[in-house]
């Protein structure tokens, strides 16, 4: 088989996905009008699949901070921090994040993917053991695999399955790392962190929680699911991203362990990546201030999330297990899901289509992410659009 | 082949047949008899999710833990039996 022949299977996948008229993985937004509205194929489209949970991408203070940073510091850093030096704002943001999580130490990465990769490859060595939730994000899988550690999966959010593996590890459990997410991004379900933290304490393991989708959303201060469940002091490493609630791009790891400050010397995804541009760091700094100072954003977000979740349930759709800013609707087979997603787009609602093997089970789902910036009318329009297409699923049986 | 690996292989064949027949995966069809040389991906077109799901079932059935890294060179029922045997041997 030639080097390029493997792309035939990718071509086949693309053709399968495009049968309804659009490739769900390649939607182009011709114009972005607001955090919740864009123009797709000339149509005004409600954006219900962009993870813009707090709607801060157009926040005037965040935009002004980014603009000022460009004017005062330039458009880019032109290299990695270890080779080119750190801008003071990068170091300041690391401290702000550490303070926000009430831990002593922080590191900023250029993307959320790099944060997970960079943290895990430096934390774990070949011969170490990591226990990974089966539904963890690809970046967590990739980081574990790149580290060379022994990777054992436990069933998603299944505390019994986790404990069984800790028991089987025997003495190795004392040095193993448990990896979980706060809020899972496809089904919108939270990890049982109270129980997981209790197991971590019982067996002497370390715990890493990815709060990518829960930062700014859960907890009284917006720190995430660990804060909401009251177990922040039992988490060893928090990782997360700037590209969702904080409306920019980048990632971080914060920890109460002083060794985090040394992690940067061992983390190739940190060492060999150009650092974030000043505008990104500046808008993230401002967005973090908004998270801390405007709890009303979370209130609006949760009101919208609750309405969307209830609205779908009233229409008879099967949704994820709990109300969250990620609302997944189960559609069954891919053959039913594709036309449903396409017609939603044609009705002016952009969502995310998840089909196997990218979905967490054998079913297809449409995933909506709710924003504090969605108006009540937009939320109703999303519900109405789903309702108008319900017959497509019934016809499918 | 030693006796224990043979026994493990027999049990994996049964588990695989049961997995393929489960109502959760009507799209997967067994192509002929399952043997030690049966390849999970090419013989049944299992996708990555299904392979991982089946691994979890094996872990529970044999009360073992399968290191994900060991799966990159694991293709057949026999390969799986060797991995399970290795973990059982401690």
């Amino acid at each position: 088989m030639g080097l390029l022949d493997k792309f035939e299977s990718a071509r086949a996948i693309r053709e399968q996905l495009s049968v309804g008229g659009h490739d769900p993985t390649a939607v182009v937004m011709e114009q972005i009008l607001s955090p919740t509205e864009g123009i797709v194929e000339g149509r005004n489209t409600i954006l219900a699949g962009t993870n813009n949970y707090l709607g801060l991408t157009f926040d005037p203070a965040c935009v002004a901070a980014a603009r000022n940073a460009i004017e005062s510091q330039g458009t880019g850093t032109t290299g990695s921090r270890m080779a080119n030096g750190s801008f003071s704002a990068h170091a300041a943001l690391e401290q702000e994040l550490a303070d926000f999580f009430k831990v002593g130490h922080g590191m900023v990465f250029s993307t959320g993917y790099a944060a997970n990769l960079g943290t895990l490859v430096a934390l774990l060595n070949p011969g170490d053991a990591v226990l990974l939730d089966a539904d963890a994000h690809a970046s967590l899988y990739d980081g574990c695999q790149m580290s060379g550690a022994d990777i054992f999966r436990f069933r998603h959010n299944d505390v019994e399955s986790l404990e069984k593996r800790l028991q089987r590890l025997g003495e190795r459990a004392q040095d193993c790392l448990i990896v979980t997410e706060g809020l899972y991004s496809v089904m919108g379900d939270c990890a049982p962190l109270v129980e997981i933290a209790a197991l971590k304490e019982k067996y002497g393991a370390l715990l890493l929680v990815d709060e990518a989708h829960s930062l700014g959303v859960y907890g009284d201060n917006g720190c995430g699911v660990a804060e909401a469940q009251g177990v922040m002091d039992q988490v060893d490493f928090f990782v997360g991203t700037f590209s969702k609630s904080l409306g920019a791009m980048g990632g971080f790891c914060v920890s109460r362990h002083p060794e985090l400050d040394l992690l940067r010397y061992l983390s190739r995804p940190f060492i060999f990546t150009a650092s974030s541009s000043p505008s990104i760091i500046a808008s993230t700094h401002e967005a973090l201030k908004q998270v801390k100072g405007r709890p009303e954003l979370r209130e609006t977000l949760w009101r919208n999330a609750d309405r969307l979740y209830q609205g779908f349930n009233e229409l008879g759709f099967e949704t994820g297990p709990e109300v969250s800013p990620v609302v997944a609707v189960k559609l069954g087979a891919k053959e039913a899901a594709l036309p449903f997603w396409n017609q939603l787009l044609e009705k002016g609602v952009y969502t995310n289509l998840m089909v196997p093997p990218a979905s967490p089970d054998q079913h297809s789902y449409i995933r909506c992410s709710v924003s504090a910036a969605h108006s009540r009318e937009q939320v109703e329009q999303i519900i109405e659009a789903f309702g108008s297409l319900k017959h497509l699923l019934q016809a499918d049986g | 082949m030693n006796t224990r690996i043979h026994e493990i292989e027999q049990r994996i064949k049964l588990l695989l047949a049961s997995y393929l027949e489960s109502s959760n995966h009507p799209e997967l069809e067994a192509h002929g008899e399952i043997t030690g040389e049966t390849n999970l991906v090419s013989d049944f077109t299992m996708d990555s999710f299904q392979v991982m799901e089946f691994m979890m079932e094996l872990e529970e059935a044999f009360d073992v833990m399968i290191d994900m890294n060991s799966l990159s060179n694991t293709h057949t029922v026999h390969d799986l039996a060797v991995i399970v045997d290795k973990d059982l041997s401690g």
Side-chain angles (χ1 to χ4, degrees):
Chain A
M1 191 168 89
L3 198 63
L4 302 180
D5 291 342
K6 66 172 93 61
F7 293 102
E8 283 311 309
S9 60
R11 193 190 311 280
I13 290 169
R14 185 173 67 181
E15 281 169 10
Q16 273 178 23
L17 286 173
S18 303
V19 290
H22 308 90
D23 176 354
T25 66
V27 174
V28 175
M29 286 146 199
E30 293 137 21
Q31 236 182 303
I32 300 294
L33 304 174
S34 77
T36 58
E37 199 173 6
I39 293 184
V40 178
E41 294 182 343
R43 279 186 303 273
N44 274 42
T45 301
I46 298 171
L47 305 178
T50 59
N51 302 328
N52 198 348
Y53 299 120
L54 298 182
L56 290 177
T57 47
F58 281 79
D59 179 81
C62 293
V63 171
R67 188 185 294 122
N68 291 341
I70 286 180
E71 287 172 356
S72 62
Q73 298 170 55
T75 53
T77 62
T78 65
S80 78
R81 290 171 67 184
M82 293 190 95
N84 290 27
S86 283
F87 286 27
S88 62
H90 291 67
L93 183 59
E94 288 176 337
Q95 192 56 54
E96 286 162 25
L97 285 160
D99 293 344
F100 182 59
F101 279 86
K102 299 184 179 64
V103 293
H105 311 274
M107 261 181 86
V108 164
F109 294 82
S110 299
T111 66
Y113 182 86
N116 285 351
L117 217 59
T119 300
L120 289 163
V121 296
L123 263 180
L124 298 164
N125 277 340
D128 291 334
V130 58
L131 295 174
L132 180 64
D133 185 287
D135 283 5
H137 188 262
S139 56
L140 297 169
Y141 269 93
D142 291 354
C144 292
Q145 281 195 306
M146 269 184 69
S147 76
D150 298 340
I151 307 164
F152 305 108
R153 301 180 318 144
F154 58 95
R155 284 198 184 275
H156 173 55
N157 278 351
D158 187 330
V159 179
E160 198 181 317
S161 171
L162 172 60
E163 178 154 33
K164 205 169 180 181
R165 281 153 181 74
L166 283 162
Q167 285 168 345
R168 282 194 61 82
L169 280 176
E171 287 184 5
R172 289 182 81 193
Q174 291 175 32
D175 284 318
C176 87
L177 180 70
I178 301 168
V179 175
T180 177
E181 297 182 27
L183 174 68
Y184 283 85
S185 63
V186 176
M187 297 302 292
D189 52 333
C190 289
L193 290 181
V194 173
E195 292 82 358
I196 290 173
L199 286 181
K200 162 224 138 72
E201 295 293 333
K202 181 177 172 184
Y203 290 89
L206 295 176
L207 175 61
L208 179 146
V209 179
D210 184 349
E211 299 275 21
H213 287 267
S214 30
L215 176 70
V217 173
Y218 285 80
D220 290 343
N221 298 299
C223 290
V225 173
E227 185 190 24
Q229 296 188 13
V231 292
M232 280 187 79
D233 58 348
Q234 292 171 68
V235 175
D236 295 281
F237 299 94
F238 292 98
V239 286
T241 177
F242 305 153
S243 61
K244 295 176 174 62
S245 285
L246 300 180
M249 181 186 176
F252 67 90
C253 176
V254 296
S255 173
R256 59 192 161 86
H257 296 288
E259 286 80 5
L260 183 68
D261 295 332
L262 300 169
L263 192 139
R264 67 188 72 221
Y265 295 96
L266 306 175
S267 174
R268 292 168 67 88
F270 175 83
I271 297 168
F272 296 105
T273 309
S275 57
S276 300
S277 65
S279 58
I280 286 174
I281 297 295
S283 75
T284 302
H285 160 77
E286 183 56 41
L288 198 58
K289 272 171 64 180
Q290 307 273 333
V291 168
K292 290 187 265 193
R294 294 174 63 194
E296 68 273 16
L297 287 174
R298 280 192 288 287
E299 288 166 21
T300 309
L301 170 64
W302 280 99
R303 190 175 64 231
N304 286 343
D306 190 60
R307 175 61 197 134
L308 192 66
Y309 188 87
Q310 303 307 340
F312 286 159
N313 279 292
E314 284 161 16
L315 287 169
F317 286 108
E318 193 174 333
T319 52
E322 57 190 278
V323 177
S324 88
V326 173
V327 184
V329 173
K330 185 174 167 181
L331 296 183
K334 187 164 63 179
E335 292 69 28
L338 276 165
F340 196 102
W341 178 87
N342 271 278
Q343 291 196 35
L344 270 181
L345 189 64
E346 284 160 19
K347 284 177 177 289
V349 178
Y350 172 74
T351 56
N352 311 128
L353 178 65
M354 319 298 281
V355 296
S359 62
D361 56 31
Q362 72 275 23
H363 300 291
S364 296
Y365 294 86
I366 283 188
R367 171 193 182 275
C368 298
S369 52
V370 186
S371 176
H374 280 130
S375 67
R376 286 171 191 258
E377 292 72 25
Q378 285 176 322
V379 174
E380 294 306 324
Q381 284 168 24
I382 297 167
I383 296 168
E384 195 180 311
F386 271 75
S388 70
L389 297 174
K390 192 145 187 285
H391 63 279
L392 294 176
L393 302 184
Q394 284 155 348
D396 182 62
Chain B
M1 191 192 310
N2 74 39
T3 313
R4 189 164 78 170
I5 290 189
H6 179 71
E7 285 170 6
I8 293 168
E9 198 176 293
Q10 294 304 317
R11 205 166 153 207
I12 292 176
K13 287 178 195 172
L14 293 174
L15 288 164
L16 181 58
S18 165
Y19 180 82
L20 294 170
E21 285 166 10
S22 78
S23 57
N24 287 340
H25 301 287
E27 74 282 13
L28 296 177
E29 288 178 16
H31 298 289
E33 187 190 356
I34 298 173
T35 70
E37 296 313 305
T38 296
N39 186 308
L40 269 59
V41 174
S42 60
D43 288 343
F44 298 116
T45 59
M46 285 171 87
D47 64 31
S48 55
F49 170 79
Q50 290 159 337
V51 170
M52 298 306 282
E53 190 179 57
F54 182 59
M55 292 307 121
M56 200 74 96
E57 294 202 3
L58 283 190
E59 287 185 315
E60 285 167 8
F62 288 97
D63 195 21
V64 294
M65 292 206 300
I66 298 174
D67 176 6
M68 274 187 62
N69 296 309
S70 64
L71 297 179
S72 54
N73 292 317
T74 303
H75 308 290
T76 66
V77 168
H78 178 73
D79 295 338
L80 279 175
V82 171
I83 286 177
V84 170
D85 178 63
K86 193 176 163 194
D87 192 78
L88 286 172
S89 304

